[in-house]
Amino acid sequence: MLRKTALLAAGALLAAGPALASGDGASDAEKAVEYREAVFTAMGHNFGPMVAMMKGEIAWDGDAFAKRAERVAALAGMPWEGFVEGTADIKGSEAKAAIWDNRTDFDKLSQQLQERTAALAEAAAGGAERGAVGKAFKRVGETCKSCHDDFKQDD
Amino acid sequence: MLRKTALLAAGALLAAGPALASGDGASDAEKAVEYREAVFTAMGHNFGPMVAMMKGEIAWDGDAFAKRAERVAALAGMPWEGFVEGTADIKGSEAKAAIWDNRTDFDKLSQQLQERTAALAEAAAGGAERGAVGKAFKRVGETCKSCHDDFKQDD
């Protein structure tokens, strides 16, 4: 009985979920692109204030930096399953075909991002000062840049 | 020197980031809506296979369930900062004005979601069987539904 209720509640949720906002007619490939871009959007939103703090554009807040670093690390593991074959040409995708031509390097960078964002979250944990996170922050930025240079259609 | 390089890398990242895909001209309110919807999209993508496993539509995989439960719990803390004043009427927003008319209840549900998804992730940790996560799963679904009923413009 509990289980049935759970499934009804879950069913109602799914039927109404923003995840399906792109329409029931969206293909699996379109959903994969929508998902990976959503994760990167969430990552960028949280990384932005970290950059601003590093630059001194906003006041340093070690607790806020730590919270956002933890979020970025959690998000860093999520987008990759959206890079399925057949999604290079989906409208709105910014993925280069190079991803599928050179999957080994792409996967290596995706792994590196997870390791480096985890290291940054660890360095930032508990509310560190800026000087204590600079090196780990730099390494994250380098990985982002390497991957964008090779695999993302940046404007 | 290290720091300068870090900022350059970070700057390159931000300039190119998918977070800015909606255009440099996007207002703060538009960015807030884009962000919160991105987080819910990511949450729905990860919750979907959990529902399918609960329903038996796909094979039970305790490790996969645990991984997705952990992601959902991490994401559950993220969208709320996107519900800033003045974002009820932004194009694409599915938020009801009731959020700002009744912020106390909305915040209570957002807190409840974080607590219940954390409990689900804990119950699922290590790869539990379906029976061990049913109750925690049901409670998450109920919170989703309560919030959608009151505060989301579902079609």
Side-chain angles (χ1 to χ4, degrees):
Chain A
M1 190 59 201
L2 270 179
R3 203 175 133 230
K4 189 179 176 191
T5 310
L7 295 178
L8 284 173
L13 164 70
L14 283 186
L20 305 179
S22 63
D24 293 334
S27 69
D28 287 348
E30 286 166 339
K31 288 177 188 170
V33 172
E34 183 187 35
Y35 170 64
R36 72 195 187 205
E37 296 197 347
V39 175
F40 285 122
T41 293
M43 212 183 299
H45 172 92
N46 281 287
F47 201 64
M50 295 168 67
V51 173
M53 280 186 230
M54 290 300 292
K55 287 183 174 177
E57 291 174 354
I58 60 174
W60 184 261
D61 179 338
D63 290 334
F65 191 94
K67 183 184 77 172
R68 295 198 182 280
E70 192 180 350
R71 289 178 176 181
V72 168
L75 290 161
M78 298 188 199
W80 317 112
E81 69 191 45
F83 288 93
V84 289
E85 293 274 357
T87 59
D89 298 327
I90 296 294
K91 191 180 172 194
S93 173
E94 297 172 286
K96 285 184 184 167
I99 291 172
W100 292 275
D101 295 339
N102 192 359
R103 188 76 201 209
T104 304
D105 284 359
F106 181 74
D107 289 346
K108 194 173 158 186
L109 284 168
S110 75
Q111 186 60 40
Q112 189 183 77
L113 184 73
Q114 294 172 69
E115 292 164 4
R116 290 183 172 189
T117 54
L120 178 56
E122 192 180 335
E129 289 304 311
R130 177 159 51 189
V133 298
K135 190 171 177 183
F137 181 79
K138 172 181 174 288
R139 287 166 63 85
V140 169
E142 286 172 350
T143 301
C144 296
K145 187 176 185 311
S146 294
C147 200
H148 286 200
D149 284 349
D150 292 347
F151 298 116
K152 180 170 182 285
Q153 293 174 24
D154 285 325
D155 294 327
Chain B
M1 190 60 199
L2 270 177
R3 204 176 133 230
K4 188 179 175 191
T5 311
L7 295 180
L8 284 173
L13 164 70
L14 282 187
L20 305 179
S22 61
D24 292 333
S27 69
D28 286 349
E30 287 167 338
K31 287 177 188 170
V33 171
E34 184 187 35
Y35 170 64
R36 70 194 188 203
E37 295 197 347
V39 176
F40 286 121
T41 293
M43 212 183 299
H45 173 93
N46 281 288
F47 201 64
M50 294 169 68
V51 173
M53 280 186 229
M54 290 300 293
K55 287 184 175 177
E57 290 173 356
I58 59 175
W60 185 261
D61 180 337
D63 290 335
F65 191 93
K67 183 184 76 174
R68 295 198 182 280
E70 192 180 351
R71 289 178 176 180
V72 168
L75 291 160
M78 299 188 199
W80 317 112
E81 69 192 46
F83 288 93
V84 288
E85 292 276 356
T87 59
D89 297 327
I90 297 294
K91 191 182 171 193
S93 172
E94 297 172 287
K96 286 183 184 167
I99 292 172
W100 292 275
D101 295 339
N102 192 359
R103 189 75 200 209
T104 305
D105 283 359
F106 181 74
D107 289 347
K108 194 172 158 187
L109 284 168
S110 74
Q111 188 59 41
Q112 190 183 77
L113 184 73
Q114 294 172 70
E115 292 164 3
R116 292 183 172 188
T117 53
L120 177 56
E122 193 180 336
E129 290 303 312
R130 176 159 51 188
V133 299
K135 191 171 175 182
F137 181 80
K138 170 181 175 289
R139 286 165 63 85
V140 170
E142 286 172 349
T143 301
C144 297
K145 187 176 185 310
S146 293
C147 200
H148 286 199
D149 283 350
D150 292 347
F151 297 115
K152 180 170 182 286
Q153 292 174 25
D154 286 326
D155 295 328

